[in-house]
Amino acid sequence: MTTLLNVLSQSHTMGWVFFLNVPFDSIIERLTLRRTDPVTGERYHLMYKPPPTTEIQARLLQSPKDSEEQIKLRTDLFYRNAAELEEFYGQAITLNGDQDPYTVFEYIESGIINPLPRKVP
């Protein structure tokens, strides 16, 4: 992880960094239920945006990266490195990501357009 942070600090200037707090169960629900229609490329979520017909449902594919095992591996990697990332991005904004996407987007947008002061006098 330290190597990645060295590369980032030398080659990238970050304007804004946001951390989204999402419970593990919600991450699993959101990602394992994603599907793609190989005919149209349309993306669906079996709970939040189900396919309109059983014909479409029958041909949907799940990406291998959306398997529960892969999600657990990636989430574990993130949690092992989270403290170092938070330290590196010391002025990052942390949000509750366990809300509907429009609410999360509005918080992020407001943080960019009307940021809170970095330090309160």
Side-chain angles (χ1 to χ4, degrees), residues 35-39 44 46 50-62:
R35 301 290 189 275
T36 302
D37 183 343
V39 174
Y44 295 97
L46 298 180
T53 67
T54 55
E55 177 186 348
I56 294 172
Q57 170 126 17
R59 68 181 185 229
L60 295 181
L61 300 175
Q62 181 184 33

Side-chain angles (χ1 to χ4, degrees), residues 24-38:
F24 182 72
D25 290 343
S26 294
I27 293 170
I28 292 293
E29 178 184 284
R30 289 181 187 182
L31 300 181
T32 60
L33 298 177
R34 295 192 299 189
R35 301 290 189 275
T36 302
D37 183 343

Side-chain angles (χ1 to χ4, degrees), residues 16 93 110-120:
W16 298 99
I93 298 169
S110 68
I112 292 169
I113 294 171
N114 298 312
L116 293 173
R118 296 289 186 204
K119 291 185 179 181
V120 178

Side-chain angles (χ1 to χ4, degrees), residues 5-111:
L5 294 178
N6 288 337
V7 170
L8 287 173
S9 66
Q10 294 172 6
S11 62
H12 291 83
T13 302
M14 299 292 171
W16 298 99
V17 175
F18 295 89
F19 288 102
L20 303 179
N21 285 336
V22 181
F24 182 72
D25 290 343
S26 294
I27 293 170
I28 292 293
E29 178 184 284
R30 289 181 187 182
L31 300 181
T32 60
L33 298 177
R34 295 192 299 189
R35 301 290 189 275
T36 302
D37 183 343
V39 174
T40 64
E42 183 74 23
R43 289 186 249 165
Y44 295 97
H45 188 278
L46 298 180
M47 184 180 295
Y48 300 119
K49 184 186 173 192
T53 67
T54 55
E55 177 186 348
I56 294 172
Q57 170 126 17
R59 68 181 185 229
L60 295 181
L61 300 175
Q62 181 184 33
S63 170
K65 70 179 185 177
D66 287 346
S67 71
E68 189 165 339
E69 298 79 32
Q70 287 298 310
I71 294 165
K72 285 180 180 178
L73 288 172
R74 292 193 329 258
T75 304
D76 183 55
L77 178 63
F78 171 77
Y79 286 131
R80 283 194 316 244
N81 295 296
E84 195 172 349
L85 287 167
E86 288 175 5
E87 183 179 322
F88 181 78
Y89 296 113
Q91 297 181 358
I93 298 169
T94 301
L95 302 171
N96 175 7
D98 197 24
Q99 305 177 72
D100 78 78
Y102 300 106
T103 302
V104 174
F105 174 80
E106 287 176 1
Y107 278 118
I108 291 172
E109 183 180 47
S110 68

